[in-house]
Amino acid sequence: MAIDILPLHPVFVGEVSGIDITRPIGRDAVAAIEAGMDRYAVLVFRDQDLTDAQQVAFTRHFGELESYKTPGHIRKNADARTGPGIADFSNLDRGGGIISAEDRVWFFKLGDRLWHSDSSFRPVPAKYSLLSGRVLPSWGANTEFADMRAAHDALDERTKAEVEPLVCLHSLIYSREAIGFTELSDDEIAAFQPVRQRLVRTHPVTGRKSLFLAAHAGAIEGWTIPEARMFLRDLTEFATQREFVYSHQWRLNDLVMWDNRQTMHRARRFDDRNEVRDVRRTTLAGDVVTIEQPEFAS
Ligand SMILES: [Fe+2]
């Protein structure tokens, strides 16, 4: 059976059929998926009953896993449930019960409900993220994606010229501050010092430009903080208007793979006090410092 990719949305997002990703896949399949990612930026695979090890193995077909040390007390409890290379995005604690609403690990997780691009607060931000739906609640918990290429294309010419040279500062501290979570330890503040990222990125294969936005962006070099925050808020509002957004309603054993260089995403609410959501992420390391990204021939 050949791999087939059909659009799920008018501007991006494809659904992949004809492949079982619980097993090793061949070079042709890897190339087809990479081409699909370049075109659609988000791919949905249905009915993939993955173990942690299988999810890691599938991810490694596309490059190296991202690996950073996170300050121990932030995620240690939650990560203890999953295998190596897998990040736990559930609402469960180490013992498998629903995490306390007052646990600071939960505060960190809640920040993912703001529009963001994974690891934009790292010096080299992530390339792809892959999220697998293992246990799903009966209501809510969609993941929404926004196409940052379409958003860039739709900017008026004046704004397009204005954003082109800008460099933003990203930190996990900015996005957590935005939801009122400001009680960070010295270790956490040290671990999440702001990093520089270009506001406009160019895709290395297609040459398409995209807005590299995230709730983690909290400053623009050369601008005052209030001016920068207001401009970033305006851009984010523009970039996440409904025509650029796909809302993924999870089915059991979906795997959704997205390109963090070309999209933003956010988690949506569910009954996190009474229902379990167990979703697990692998993350593919990026390969470029955005402020040094090679300009695509233009
Ligand atoms: Fe995320």
Side-chain angles (χ1 to χ4, degrees):
M1 192 173 176
I3 292 186
D4 200 19
I5 305 180
L6 292 172
L8 280 178
H9 183 275
V11 297
F12 69 140
V13 189
E15 180 173 332
V16 185
S17 57
I19 187 165
D20 174 1
I21 62 170
T22 67
R23 296 157 180 244
I25 60 172
R27 223 177 290 172
D28 288 354
V30 171
I33 292 168
E34 281 177 338
M37 288 296 285
D38 291 344
R39 175 171 173 191
Y40 291 103
V42 180
L43 292 178
V44 176
F45 301 77
R46 306 278 191 190
D47 303 314
Q48 307 290 336
D49 188 4
L50 291 159
T51 64
D52 288 354
Q54 287 167 338
Q55 186 174 339
V56 167
F58 175 67
T59 305
R60 291 189 59 123
H61 285 298
F62 305 96
E64 290 303 314
L65 297 185
E66 185 178 73
S67 114
Y68 284 100
K69 281 210 169 80
T70 303
H73 40 291
I74 298 178
R75 294 214 166 115
K76 189 166 62 185
N77 288 351
D79 281 354
R81 295 179 49 255
T82 57
I86 297 260
D88 179 359
F89 283 84
S90 75
N91 60 330
L92 298 173
D93 62 20
R94 183 199 291 242
I98 289 178
I99 193 168
S100 161
E102 287 164 29
D103 192 319
R104 57 203 313 283
V105 172
W106 182 240
F107 297 161
F108 271 101
K109 290 180 182 225
L110 279 173
D112 291 333
R113 296 186 187 180
L114 297 171
W115 286 108
H116 66 282
S117 174
D118 290 334
S119 295
S120 77
F121 53 88
R122 307 284 192 193
V124 178
K127 185 178 178 188
Y128 300 161
S129 296
L130 298 86
L131 194 64
S132 125
R134 310 289 180 88
V135 178
L136 302 172
S138 61
W139 171 85
N142 281 16
T143 304
E144 293 188 339
F145 296 91
D147 188 334
M148 294 298 102
R149 306 165 301 181
H152 182 274
D153 289 351
L155 291 173
D156 65 80
E157 292 307 315
R158 183 189 171 115
T159 309
K160 230 180 241 180
E162 195 174 12
V163 295
E164 184 69 27
L166 296 179
V167 173
C168 297
L169 297 177
H170 291 233
S171 169
L172 196 64
I173 297 168
Y174 295 137
S175 54
R176 274 47 192 171
E177 196 178 79
I179 59 165
F181 177 32
T182 53
E183 288 156 27
L184 302 176
S185 68
D186 291 345
D187 276 2
E188 289 163 349
I189 291 167
F192 298 121
Q193 284 303 300
V195 297
R196 304 172 73 210
Q197 306 290 4
R198 288 273 298 260
L199 180 51
V200 178
R201 297 187 70 172
T202 305
H203 190 280
V205 175
T206 65
R208 285 192 74 182
K209 289 186 174 180
S210 55
L211 285 174
F212 193 48
L213 287 167
H216 309 310
I220 300 173
E221 284 186 353
W223 291 40
T224 65
I225 293 286
E227 279 179 315
R229 297 268 171 109
M230 203 55 248
F231 188 50
L232 290 168
R233 188 176 284 210
D234 261 359
L235 282 177
T236 300
E237 190 176 314
F238 177 82
T240 56
Q241 56 188 292
R242 295 321 293 184
E243 61 184 294
F244 307 141
V245 171
Y246 164 74
S247 187
H248 185 71
Q249 188 169 2
W250 287 87
R251 294 186 206 158
L252 189 64
N253 296 329
D254 281 352
L255 178 111
V256 181
M257 180 172 182
W258 63 89
D259 187 338
N260 288 296
R261 302 167 304 178
Q262 310 193 82
T263 58
M264 277 206 291
H265 60 281
R266 66 174 175 178
R268 302 296 276 157
R269 295 171 57 235
F270 65 104
D271 184 1
D272 52 51
R273 296 300 97 212
N274 296 298
E275 289 197 87
V276 172
R277 178 178 192 243
D278 188 351
V279 293
R280 300 183 183 202
R281 193 181 93 194
T282 39
T283 313
L284 202 67
D287 47 17
V288 67
V289 176
T290 65
I291 49 172
E292 291 169 7
Q293 69 182 5
E295 272 309 293
F296 198 83
S298 62

